[in-house]
Amino acid sequence: MLKKIGFCMLLVSSTCWAGDKAIIGSSELMSVEQTGLSYEARIDTGAVNTSLHAFDLEIEGGSEKKMKDNVGKTLFFTTENEEGLQKRLKAKIVKTSTVSNSQGRETRYMVDLKVGFQDKERKVRVNLRDRSHMDYKLLIGRNWLKGKYIVDVSEKKVIGPVAPISILESGLTFETRIDTGAVENSLHAVDLKVENGEKDMEKNIGKRLSFTTENEKGESHRVNAMIVETSLIRNAQGSEIRYMVELTVGQPGQEYKVKVNLKDRSKMSYKFLIGRNWLQGHYMVDVSL
């Protein structure tokens, strides 16, 4: 998943830094142009340099005792991706790098290779290491990411302005409006009945509520839930207080608990509206979808 965004980062000095960078996940399908191979690459902000699985290293004309004395020479090596596809390459050694990790310190040869998304690769310094025992044969470090990418380890999904969303408690799927302008989710609900209810809505918090909901296809269901709080909603028509309940909401098979306010939406095109309290931390919205 790769998506361009404009963003504003708040720094300690409270200055606003604006830029245009791409969001990248914690792992991505990437390629090394010279190999013609694709790799499931680990995106690692903890690594200074990008690293490629390499074995059977052979220096043209023979190797010097000290690795740094081989800088400038041509190096032959074999690389292999996660599917077992191999390629023999040659590249000039541009420098050596010493890497410290849990196994200690080791020195690696570095070469220049074109790395990135297919047909969008760009040249970067890559250290060569036998990664046969590792899950990822290509590791993308800060030298490839810097200035161009933001890493989103949550790997948020992208959703369009309208999406099929299910509510497990209702057994129904709704053609739902995704609304980043709304704080809360809102569900069509009529014939609300509070068990031992009182006129003061605040006093009904914690009580059981039953209501009928209906999707765009005219399918309806009676739902029982606990009132968890009330919500004051302001809109063009004025303000109103609504009951809020917790329901299990999401794309089919990916539902999770979230608070939903209840309103008669019979005159509205969409019987269910998703707001920021469901989207936050899980989804980005692309209105062009």
Side-chain angles (χ1 to χ4, degrees), residues 40 52 54 92 96 148 182 212 288:
E40 185 64 24
L52 177 67
K92 185 171 79 171
T96 60
K148 295 182 180 292
T212 298
S288 65

Side-chain angles (χ1 to χ4, degrees), residues 23-92:
I23 291 178
I24 194 171
S26 59
S27 65
E28 296 282 353
L29 186 64
M30 303 182 78
S31 64
V32 178
E33 186 182 85
Q34 290 87 340
T35 68
L37 302 177
S38 293
Y39 299 79
E40 185 64 24
R42 167 60 74 202
I43 313 302
D44 187 355
T45 60
V48 175
N49 295 310
T50 297
S51 182
L52 177 67
H53 175 43
F55 56 97
D56 289 344
L57 277 64
E58 181 184 352
I59 295 173
E60 188 175 54
S63 176
E64 302 293 338
K65 286 185 178 181
K66 293 183 179 179
M67 291 180 67
K68 66 180 182 179
D69 291 336
N70 291 316
V71 173
K73 293 186 177 182
T74 298
L75 174 70
F76 295 89
F77 62 93
T78 300
T79 186
E80 181 180 50
N81 66 8
E82 294 78 13
E83 296 176 348
L85 300 174
Q86 295 185 359
K87 182 75 174 181
R88 188 75 175 164
L89 297 179
K90 71 173 182 177
K92 185 171 79 171

